[in-house]
């Protein structure tokens, strides 16, 4: 059973460009969470999605950031017009539809904005 | 919203000693408390978790205790080994009703170093 997959693993963007980060949950998992980890800091919640629905986006910056989890395909975190402060590791986690929402993390995408 | 405080920020022990990491949380509605281990450049890995209806849980050399009254939970690692060296994060979340909703609020992390 493959774990949570994320791609790309490393992404370099110039200021003003767009970044697209992808997350495929574990098989059987229908809940996806995105977290951001700044250098030498903890993980901060950004958004929680189920298929075709955003459940909680309270941690998402109001501008430039968006997320989706379509009926088919991976979840995507999109950052428009990136700035240097967006440089971080972005992790997604997935959890099953039942149970106590144990979350399993992907390997992360390390975004560097130059 | 929930706030999780974690101490200490760094912890250095000799191989074979025990290590204890402590966390406090602010929201009394939180009812699920996982612990994650993160090695440098790797993903956070779930190592143990505890739910609010249990006071203690053990898995081999790792144990977690929960004091709901004090809103405090701790990770205990016995007989530490060099491969236990990593950053450890505590977290808290709320399960609402019959759903599996549960965004995690993380502590700041503890850098554990186990010296051979």
């Amino acid at each position: 059973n493959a774990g949570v997959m994320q791609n790309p693993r490393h992404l370099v963007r110039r200021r003003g460009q767009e970044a697209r980060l992808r997350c495929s949950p574990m098989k059987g998992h229908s809940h996806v969470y995105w977290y951001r980890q700044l250098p030498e800091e903890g993980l901060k919640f950004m958004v929680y999605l189920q298929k075709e629905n955003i459940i909680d986006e309270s941690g998402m910056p109001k501008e430039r950031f968006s997320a989706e989890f379509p009926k088919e395909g991976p979840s995507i975190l999109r950052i428009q017009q990136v700035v240097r402060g967006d440089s971080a590791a972005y992790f997604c986690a997935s959890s099953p539809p039942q149970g106590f929402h144990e979350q399993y993390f992907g390997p992360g995408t390390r975004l560097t904005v130059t | 919203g929930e706030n999780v405080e974690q101490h200490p920020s760094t912890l250095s022990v000799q191989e074979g000693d025990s290590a204890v990491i402590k966390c406090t949380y602010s929201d009394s509605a939180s009812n699920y408390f996982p612990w994650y281990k993160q090695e440098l450049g790797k993903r956070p890995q779930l190592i143990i978790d505890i739910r609010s209806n249990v006071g203690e849980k053990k898995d081999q050399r790792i144990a977690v205790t929960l004091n709901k009254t004090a809103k405090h939970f701790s990770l205990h690692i016995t007989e530490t080994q060099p491969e236990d060296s990593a950053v450890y994060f505590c977290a808290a979340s709320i399960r609402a009703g019959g759903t599996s909703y549960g965004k995690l609020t993380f502590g700041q992390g503890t850098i554990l170093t186990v010296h051979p």
Side-chain angles (χ1 to χ4, degrees), chain A residues 3-5 9 31 33 35 37 40-45 48 50 55-56 58-59 91 95-108 110, chain B residues 31-33 36 38-46 49-53 87 89 93-96 98-109:
Chain A
V4 180
M5 308 291 284
R9 297 290 305 278
H31 298 193
Y33 307 79
Y35 295 86
Q37 187 173 36
E40 299 188 16
E41 290 191 13
L43 296 116
K44 303 291 186 189
F45 168 78
Y48 162 43
Q50 295 178 18
I55 307 301
D56 180 355
S58 59
F91 289 94
S95 67
Q98 290 87 30
F100 225 94
H101 51 75
E102 296 90 348
Q103 293 183 25
Y104 297 94
F105 282 78
R110 278 145 186 88
Chain B
N31 54 11
Y32 175 65
F33 307 93
Y36 287 85
Q38 187 178 30
E39 297 175 356
L40 189 63
K42 300 289 182 62
R43 73 184 78 192
Q45 286 189 297
L46 178 66
D49 56 17
I50 191 167
R51 301 167 193 178
S52 60
N53 59 346
V87 181
F89 292 98
S93 76
I94 301 167
R95 184 187 188 200
T99 72
S100 63
Y101 169 80
K103 72 176 184 182
L104 295 173
T105 301
F106 283 87
Q108 300 88 335

Side-chain angles (χ1 to χ4, degrees), chain B:
Chain B
E2 174 67 283
N3 183 51
V4 177
E5 297 286 333
Q6 182 172 345
H7 299 279
S9 55
T10 60
L11 181 58
S12 183
V13 300
Q14 289 296 127
E15 183 177 1
D17 288 350
S18 294
V20 180
I21 301 170
K22 299 181 179 181
C23 290
T24 59
Y25 61 99
S26 61
D27 193 337
S28 56
S30 288
N31 54 11
Y32 175 65
F33 307 93
W35 286 86
Y36 287 85
K37 175 184 179 182
Q38 187 178 30
E39 297 175 356
L40 189 63
K42 300 289 182 62
R43 73 184 78 192
Q45 286 189 297
L46 178 66
I47 57 172
I48 196 167
D49 56 17
I50 191 167
R51 301 167 193 178
S52 60
N53 59 346
V54 175
E56 183 174 358
K57 183 177 178 180
K58 189 173 181 181
D59 182 4
Q60 299 183 332
R61 296 187 296 110
I62 294 173
V64 58
T65 58
L66 171 65
N67 183 328
K68 285 170 54 181
T69 303
K71 289 188 279 188
H72 171 277
F73 58 113
S74 300
L75 177 71
H76 305 252
I77 306 174
T78 58
E79 301 172 20
T80 54
Q81 301 166 2
E83 50 266 39
D84 294 330
S85 297
V87 181
Y88 290 80
F89 292 98
C90 62
S93 76
I94 301 167
R95 184 187 188 200
T99 72
S100 63
Y101 169 80
K103 72 176 184 182
L104 295 173
T105 301
F106 283 87
Q108 300 88 335
T110 296
I111 302 171
L112 174 64
T113 304
V114 180
H115 298 280

